[in-house]
Structures are given as structure tokens and as C-alpha cells.
């Protein structure tokens, strides 16, 4: 009996062999032509370590493999099939993910994607806000990936909309964060100025009750307007039974604010004169908003290199069609077309010169500022500039196969890849938040039960201190920023 969805893909298998847990994966196989191909694929799969059984269906061109996930993986099985001389239909897609704020969010999105039957690998990059997923074609649909991300509490930007959306969203987010920070910083400065006499042990020039009311009025917009994003993020995580950095900030600052508000509006509830800590909650929110502002600024610049590279590409090409020179979009150039390049024009695609002679500026590829002479038989690279003369060349690589497109793809992959320290941060943050919440709760009750008077005040202060100081802002912000 299988436990999972009714889609073909990766399933848990309820029966176990000894203490081993078995899973079943269905892999599309291409290139089989007869029954002997079926037997060969079954044979090589069955010999793999950790494989309990393998069954290949020639009609559906699929291989159903039962395996031990502790000894092998779908990627290993795919490699076995390919080494046997057959193909596997594995697709890769990338899409934008919105709403992530720290490394904990990255881990949550990756786990949600990897749970989908048929997903082989999922990598999420916080800096570029992009998810890259490898999956078995026919077993996973793009909509399945979107549902998984949305179910984890985050938004999805589809591939065709990603560039325009990212640019607009980053600009809006930066402006909103800047406004939140500036207002919060101004109000926090006033709160600190009003709290300074109490910090230094002086009596303020106005009655304490009125001063606290003024501080409450200043701290409220900082807490619930400038800091609203933390409540929203904490609620989104709570809906899925999880906690993240927003949870720590929301709980910690709310505890300090609400305690201070109660001490201001109902001082009779506290024995003696209760202290207020509006400066603590406001300053924490302001500093974290500053970190978010710097992060948003950094994110807005992550795609500049790719945009500059893409801007080097020629927009049109002059191609010989039916004996005449015709201007076509560069996307319309096919391999084998004869392309004409005149002085001062960009070379539209990669190819080999068949007639003419010219000097070509290849500095965008080689960094060498001196133009290189091109004669028949020499290779030319798309996006380089024809300095003088004219020539004709036969297109050999077009579209995604050109050198420029490959450079852009490598830059994108580099942005989406993770350094070892970043992977470590992702793993740590997955358990960091619940551990910190637990330690904060223990700290509160220990100080409340065994601490000196005023026990409740000291317990609350230490509770807030653990939440805020242990907040993984630094890990979620510094790691992707340094990687960029």
C-alpha cells in the first residue's frame, strides 16, 4: 500500500524491509526501441545499491524503481539510466519567490518544494529571490510548484513576469521601507530624548505620568505602523504552524511595548513605580528596519550585471534570404543562415566568417581593447562590435547557445548557487527559531520564580533580551549580502 498522492512520482512505501524505509519513484525513460532495451534498463537499475526492485514499461516509457533513500537517490538512478545509454526527461525551471525575509524562509520554501513527488532538487536564493527546481517531466507540473510555495506562505512570480515584476516590486519595497525607517527613526529619536533623564537617574521636568503618555503616543506608530511587516510575517508563519525571524521581533517588541503601555495606563496594577521600555521596542524595530532597508537596496542591485550583459545583445540581424539582405529580429536567426555585418554594427550571433575582412572589437569577451582582424574561416562572437570593413559569416550558434547567452546563464546560476557557509546558515536557521523561543520561555519562568523583586519586570526584560539578541537577523541578512 502506498502513502502519498495519486500522481505518479516519489512515494513513501508503507512496507519496509527490516528497518529500511522504502520509497518508489517513477522516472520517464527515452531512447528505448525494443524489449531488449527494457531488460537492459531493468538490469542496470536492479544492480544499483539500495534498489529493491525495478520495473520498466515500454509502452509508457517509464521506470518504476523501489529504493532505500538512505543508500541511493533519484539523481543516482537517473545517472544509472543515462550511463546505460538512455535518456531521462528531466526539466529545470526558475521562478521568483516573494515574501522571504531570512534564511529560515529559504529553508521553508526548499522543504515545501522537495516534498512534491517528482522533484529532484530545489534551491532557493534569498538575495535574488529566485527558486530553481529540477523535476521529472510529466510527473510535476509548474502549477504544483507554485501551489507548494504558496502553501508555505510565500508568493510566486511566474517566469514571464519575473523581470518586470522584480524591478517594480524592488523599487516599491525600497520606497516603502525607506519611509517606514525614516518615520520610525525620527520618532525613536524623540523617544530616546524623552527617556534620557530616566536613563541617567534624573527627574524629568514634567510629571512622570504625562511623560509616559507622550512616549506611548510616539511609540505606538513605530510599533504598529512601521513594525506592521513583522506582525504580518509572524502571522503568515503561524498559519502554517511555524516560527521565523518575524516571530522573534514581533513577540519581543510587543512584550516590551505592552508591558510599558500597561504601566503607563494602569500603574496601580504594579507594586511601586513601574518602569517603561518604549525606547527598547522602538529602537529594536528601527534598527531592524535599517537592516531590511540595506537588504532591499542590495537586492535591487543583484540583477544589474545580467541586465548590462543582456543589453550588449544586438536587437536585429541582416540575413541573406532568397538572395536579398533582410533585417530580422535576432531571435529569428537560425543556425546556417548567412549574416551580413557592416562597419559599426554588432555581430548578432556566433558564427564563422565566409567572406570579407574586418577588425572586430572583442573587449566585452576578452577584455582586450585592440580590435582583432577577422578573415574567412575565423570565428566571430555575438555582441562584439565590427570596427571597420564588412564581412559575411555563417551562423553556428544562436539563441541560448551563443557565448553571451551562456555567460548570462552562468551569472544567473552563480547568483542562485549557495556557498557552503550559506547552506550551513540555512540548516541552522531551520531549528534556530523554535530553540530561541523555548529558551526565552524558560528564561522568563526562571526569573519569575527565582529572581529578585520586581520579579515580573526582570523576567520580562530577560525574556525580551533573549528573543531580540538571538534574533537571526544577522544570519539572514549578512550571509546573502556577503555572498552577493
Amino acid at each position: 500500500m502506498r502513502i502519498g498522492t495519486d500522481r505518479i512520482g516519489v512515494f513513501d512505501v508503507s512496507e519496509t524491509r527490516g528497518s529500511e524505509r522504502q520509497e518508489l519513484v517513477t522516472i520517464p525513460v527515452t531512447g528505448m526501441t525494443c524489449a531488449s532495451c527494457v531488460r537492459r534498463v531493468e538490469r542496470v537499475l536492479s544492480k544499483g545499491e539500495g534498489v529493491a526492485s525495478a520495473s520498466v514499461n515500454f509502452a509508457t516509457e517509464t521506470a518504476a524503481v523501489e529504493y532505500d533513500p538512505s543508500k541511493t537517490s533519484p539523481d543516482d538512478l537517473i545517472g544509472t539510466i543515462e550511463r546505460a545509454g538512455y535518456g531521462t526527461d528531466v526539466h529545470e525551471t526558475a521562478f521568483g519567490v516573494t515574501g522571504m525575509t531570512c534564511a529560515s524562509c529559504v529553508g521553508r520554501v526548499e522543504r515545501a518544494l522537495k516534498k512534491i513527488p517528482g522533484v529532484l532538487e530545489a534551491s532557493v536564493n534569498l538575495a535574488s529571490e529566485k527558486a530553481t527546481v529540477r523535476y521529472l517531466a510529466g510527473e510535476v507540473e509548474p502549477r504544483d510548484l507554485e501551489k507548494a510555495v504558496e502553501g508555505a506562505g510565500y508568493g510566486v512570480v511566474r517566469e514571464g513576469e519575473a523581470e518586470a515584476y522584480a524591478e517594480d516590486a524592488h523599487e516599491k519595497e525600497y520606497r516603502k521601507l525607506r519611509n517606514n525607517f525614516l518615520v520610525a527613526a525620527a520618532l525613536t529619536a524623540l523617544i530616546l530624548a524623552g527617556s534620557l533623564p530616566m536613563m541617567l537617574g534624573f527627574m524629568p521636568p514634567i510629571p512622570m505620568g504625562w511623560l509616559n503618555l507622550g512616549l506611548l503616543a510616539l511609540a505606538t506608530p513605530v510599533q504598529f505602523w512601521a513594525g506592521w511587516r513583522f506582525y504580518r510575517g509572524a502571522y503568515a508563519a503561524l498559519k502554517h504552524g511555524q516560527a521565523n525571524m518575524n516571530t522573534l521581533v514581533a513577540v519581543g517588541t510587543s512584550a516590551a511595548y505592552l508591558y510599558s503601555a500597561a504601566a503607563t495606563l494602569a500603574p496601580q496594577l504594579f507594586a511601586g513605580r513601574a518602569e517603561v521600555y518604549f525606547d527598547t521596542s522602538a529602537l529594536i524595530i528601527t534598527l531592524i528596519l535599517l537592516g531590511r532597508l540595506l537588504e532591499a537596496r542590495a537586492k535591487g542591485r543583484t540583477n544589474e550585471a545580467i541586465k548590462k550583459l543582456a543589453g550588449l545583445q544586438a536587437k536585429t540581424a541582416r540575413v541573406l534570404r532568397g538572395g536579398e539582405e533582410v533585417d530580422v529580429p535576432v531571435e529569428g536567426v537560425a543556425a546556417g543562415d548567412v549574416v551580413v555585418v557592416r562597419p559599426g554594427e554588432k555581430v548578432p550571433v556566433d558564427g564563422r566568417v565566409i567572406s570579407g575582412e574586418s577588425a572586430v572589437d572583442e573587449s566585452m569577451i576578452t577584455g582586450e581593447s585592440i580590435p582583432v582582424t577577422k578573415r574567412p574561416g575565423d570565428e566571430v562572437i555575438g555582441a562584439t562590435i565590427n570596427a571597420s570593413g564588412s564581412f559575411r559569416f555563417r551562423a553556428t550558434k544562436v539563441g541560448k547557445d551563443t557565448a553571451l547567452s551562456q555567460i548570462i546563464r552562468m551569472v544567473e546560476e552563480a547568483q542562485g548557487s549557495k556557498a557552503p557557509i550559506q547552506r550551513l546558515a540555512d540548516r541552522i536557521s531551520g531549528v534556530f527559531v523554535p530553540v530561541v523561543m523555548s529558551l526565552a520561555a524558560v528564561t522568563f519562568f526562571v526569573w519569575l520564580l527565582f529572581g529578585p523583586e520586581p520579579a515580573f519586570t526582570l523576567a520580562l526584560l530577560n525574556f525580551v533580551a533573549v528573543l531580540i539578541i538571538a534574533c537571526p537577523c544577522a544570519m539572514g541578512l549578512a550571509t546573502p549580502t556577503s555572498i552577493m
Side-chain angles (χ1 to χ4, degrees):
M1 176 181 175
R2 297 175 185 169
I3 301 174
T5 64
D6 56 0
R7 293 180 56 83
I8 299 176
V10 182
F11 293 86
D12 291 340
V13 177
S14 58
E15 58 180 83
T16 59
R17 287 171 169 79
S19 59
E20 297 178 351
R21 175 172 168 269
Q22 302 294 318
E23 289 188 357
L24 180 70
V25 62
T26 302
I27 304 173
V29 182
T30 60
M32 296 188 297
T33 58
C34 59
S36 62
C37 296
V38 172
R39 289 192 296 272
R40 183 180 180 186
V41 175
E42 286 181 344
R43 187 166 58 251
V44 296
L45 285 172
S46 299
K47 290 180 179 178
E49 182 182 5
V51 175
S53 65
S55 175
V56 179
N57 189 310
F58 181 68
T60 60
E61 294 186 311
T62 57
V65 185
E66 190 179 343
Y67 66 98
D68 180 0
S70 65
K71 296 180 179 179
T72 188
S73 67
D75 264 336
D76 296 332
L77 300 175
I78 289 172
T80 300
I81 294 172
E82 292 176 347
R83 285 192 295 273
Y86 300 93
T88 54
D89 200 359
V90 177
H91 287 188
E92 181 174 306
T93 186
F95 52 88
V97 179
T98 61
M100 297 188 298
T101 58
C102 62
S104 296
C105 300
V106 171
R108 189 171 300 114
V109 175
E110 287 183 347
R111 287 193 296 273
L113 290 170
K114 289 176 181 177
K115 286 180 181 179
I116 302 174
V119 169
L120 303 175
E121 183 181 357
S123 175
V124 180
N125 187 278
L126 178 62
S128 60
E129 295 184 309
K130 179 183 287 187
T132 304
V133 185
R134 290 178 63 245
Y135 61 93
L136 298 174
E139 317 305 319
V140 179
E141 298 295 335
R143 184 55 189 155
D144 298 333
L145 305 177
E146 295 174 9
K147 286 181 178 179
V149 173
E150 291 166 353
Y154 302 91
V156 175
V157 183
R158 292 169 180 81
E159 191 171 3
E161 309 166 351
E163 185 174 345
Y165 175 87
E167 186 173 353
D168 185 53
H170 284 142
E171 183 61 29
K172 286 182 178 179
E173 178 67 10
Y174 182 76
R175 287 199 302 267
K176 185 176 181 180
L177 269 171
R178 183 183 58 192
N179 293 337
N180 287 163
F181 168 72
L182 291 176
V183 172
L187 294 175
T188 299
L190 294 175
I191 293 171
L192 291 175
S195 304
L196 190 60
M198 291 181 288
M199 293 180 187
L200 300 177
F202 299 134
M203 287 301 296
I206 61 176
M208 184 66 68
W210 287 104
L211 177 61
N212 288 345
L213 284 173
L215 295 178
L216 173 62
L218 293 171
T220 300
V222 176
Q223 185 72 34
F224 298 109
W225 179 74
W228 181 249
R229 64 182 64 246
F230 303 117
Y231 289 99
R232 187 172 63 244
Y235 176 69
L238 182 63
K239 285 194 301 184
H240 298 89
Q242 298 166 337
N244 58 16
M245 187 195 79
N246 295 299
T247 308
L248 295 182
V249 178
V251 172
T253 58
S254 295
Y257 172 85
L258 294 175
Y259 172 82
S260 301
T264 299
L265 300 175
Q268 67 274 11
L269 297 178
F270 301 86
R273 186 169 63 87
E275 300 287 345
V276 295
Y277 302 97
F278 293 117
D279 55 327
T280 301
S281 60
L283 186 59
I284 288 168
I285 288 177
T286 301
L287 291 177
I288 295 179
L289 284 175
L290 175 60
R292 292 282 180 89
L293 182 65
L294 296 175
E295 183 180 15
R297 184 179 180 183
K299 284 181 180 179
R301 295 180 176 179
T302 55
N303 294 323
E304 287 185 5
I306 294 178
K307 290 179 182 178
K308 289 179 180 178
L309 284 172
L312 297 174
Q313 177 68 58
K315 301 297 186 291
T316 61
R318 188 172 290 106
V319 181
L320 284 179
R321 297 276 171 87
E324 296 183 358
E325 296 181 4
V326 181
D327 288 338
V328 299
V330 70
E331 295 83 5
V333 180
D337 282 346
V338 175
V339 184
V340 180
V341 183
R342 294 174 180 172
E345 294 181 341
K346 287 184 177 180
V347 178
V349 295
D350 298 359
R352 190 178 297 275
V353 178
I354 57 176
S355 66
E357 182 176 327
S358 181
V360 178
D361 181 358
E362 296 183 337
S363 58
M364 57 82 61
I365 294 291
T366 65
E368 175 56 61
S369 59
I370 300 176
V372 179
T373 301
K374 298 293 182 180
R375 298 183 177 89
D378 292 339
E379 292 186 353
V380 290
I381 303 172
T384 55
I385 300 175
N386 180 27
S388 62
S390 63
F391 61 91
R392 295 181 179 184
F393 72 93
R394 191 174 302 279
T396 56
K397 294 180 180 179
V398 299
K400 295 183 179 180
D401 296 327
T402 64
L404 179 62
S405 296
Q406 291 178 21
I407 292 172
I408 293 174
R409 185 163 61 251
M410 290 172 67
V411 173
E412 289 177 336
E413 289 174 356
Q415 282 188 327
S417 63
K418 294 181 181 179
I421 185 62
Q422 195 174 12
R423 289 193 293 268
L424 177 63
D426 291 346
R427 289 198 300 271
I428 293 174
S429 63
V431 297
F432 192 82
V433 173
V435 169
V436 169
M437 294 289 288
S438 301
L439 290 176
V442 171
T443 301
F444 176 81
F445 286 110
V446 168
W447 277 87
L448 183 64
L449 297 175
F450 305 106
E453 291 298 331
F456 180 77
T457 300
L458 293 174
L460 182 63
L461 286 177
N462 284 285
F463 170 77
V464 173
V466 172
L467 288 179
I468 300 306
I469 294 174
C471 176
C473 293
M475 186 164 56
L477 171 61
T479 302
T481 303
S482 62
I483 293 299
M484 285 188 291

